């Protein structure tokens, strides 16, 4: 038997599996009664009962296997639906990036954050969307991730398709694909509003200090 024939024989369609089970049952009866193969009419009533019993057992076994497969399929469908809810509809951006920096997967929030269609985001280098001034910070974060294996976080400015920018808190952790190649799993959290508020607070505090310094000696600025 050639290697190809072995491979073909190891993968049988469901109908062939039923026939195999039937043949096994018949073979067991024939082994118990030598000469039965040459004299099928000589099969005793007890042997026929045993054969019927074997076939019924195998039929029930196949039905149980089919039920298990159906339950497994239902669980897979539920898992896919949950994955869609948790990944695609998440309020933060998710990206999977390969060792060369190419985006392999991205959810709806990531594409919306960068102002591009998801199909246009996948296949692009993630560094393309990072403002040039912050690319060194990204590559340092990436190096520390692969050197230590520990999740890393950094803040970057990223460019949108309309040439505007946004501040993003990027959290990345290491992973591997089915072939063992290194991957980055990224979470992109838009922190632009927090950055604007922090800048406004710093500006307000600076104005307050400047006004306080201009007050005549002995005068005090009101407590705030």
């Amino acid at each position: 038997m050639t290697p190809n024939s072995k491979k073909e024989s190891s993968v049988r369609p469901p109908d062939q599996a039923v026939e195999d089970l039937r043949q096994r049952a018949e073979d067991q009866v024939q082994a118990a009664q030598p000469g039965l193969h040459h004299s099928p009419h000589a099969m005793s009533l007890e042997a026929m009962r045993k054969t019927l019993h074997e076939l019924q057992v195998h039929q029930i076994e196949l039905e149980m296997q089919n039920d298990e497969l159906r339950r497994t399929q239902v669980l897979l469908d539920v898992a896919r639906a949950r994955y869609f809810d948790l990944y695609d509809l998440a309020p933060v951006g998710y990206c999977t990036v390969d060792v060369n920096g190419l985006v392999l997967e991205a959810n709806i929030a990531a594409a919306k954050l960068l102002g591009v269609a998801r199909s246009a985001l996948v296949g692009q280098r993630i560094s393309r969307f990072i403002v040039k001034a912050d690319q060194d910070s990204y590559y340092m974060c990436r190096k520390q991730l692969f050197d230590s294996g520990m999740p890393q976080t950094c803040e970057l400015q990223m460019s949108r398709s309309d040439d505007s920018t946004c501040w993003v808190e990027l959290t990345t952790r290491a992973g591997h694909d089915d072939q063992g190649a290194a991957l980055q799993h990224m979470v992109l959290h838009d922190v632009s509003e927090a950055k604007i508020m922090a800048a406004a607070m710093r500006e307000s505090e600076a104005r307050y200090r400047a006004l306080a310094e201009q007050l005549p000696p002995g005068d005090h600025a009101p407590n705030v």
Side-chain angles (χ1 to χ4, degrees), residues 96-100 104 142 146 173-185:
T96 300
V97 179
D98 71 8
V99 70
N100 296 314
L104 302 178
R142 182 174 180 270
F146 288 123
R173 63 180 179 84
H176 296 87
D177 64 13
D178 295 339
Q179 286 71 45
L183 297 174
Q184 280 182 271
H185 299 293

Side-chain angles (χ1 to χ4, degrees), residues 61-73:
E61 182 181 6
L62 286 174
E63 290 174 353
M64 293 173 64
Q65 291 175 352
N66 287 335
D67 288 341
E68 186 64 27
L69 287 174
R70 283 191 288 268
R71 284 193 292 270
T72 301
Q73 185 61 51

Side-chain angles (χ1 to χ4, degrees), residues 81-95 106-113 118 186-190:
R82 186 179 297 117
Y83 173 83
F84 179 82
D85 290 341
L86 295 177
Y87 184 85
D88 271 7
L89 301 182
V92 295
Y94 288 116
C95 289
N107 70 345
I108 295 171
K112 184 178 179 180
L113 176 64
R118 182 156 57 167
M186 297 181 176
V187 179
L188 307 175
H189 184 208
D190 188 351

Side-chain angles (χ1 to χ4, degrees), residues 127-144:
S127 58
R128 171 187 171 186
F129 299 94
I130 299 173
V131 171
K132 186 175 181 180
D134 288 339
Q135 289 195 6
D136 285 347
S137 297
Y138 165 70
Y139 284 115
M140 179 60 70
C141 180
R142 182 174 180 270
K143 183 178 184 301
Q144 291 174 344

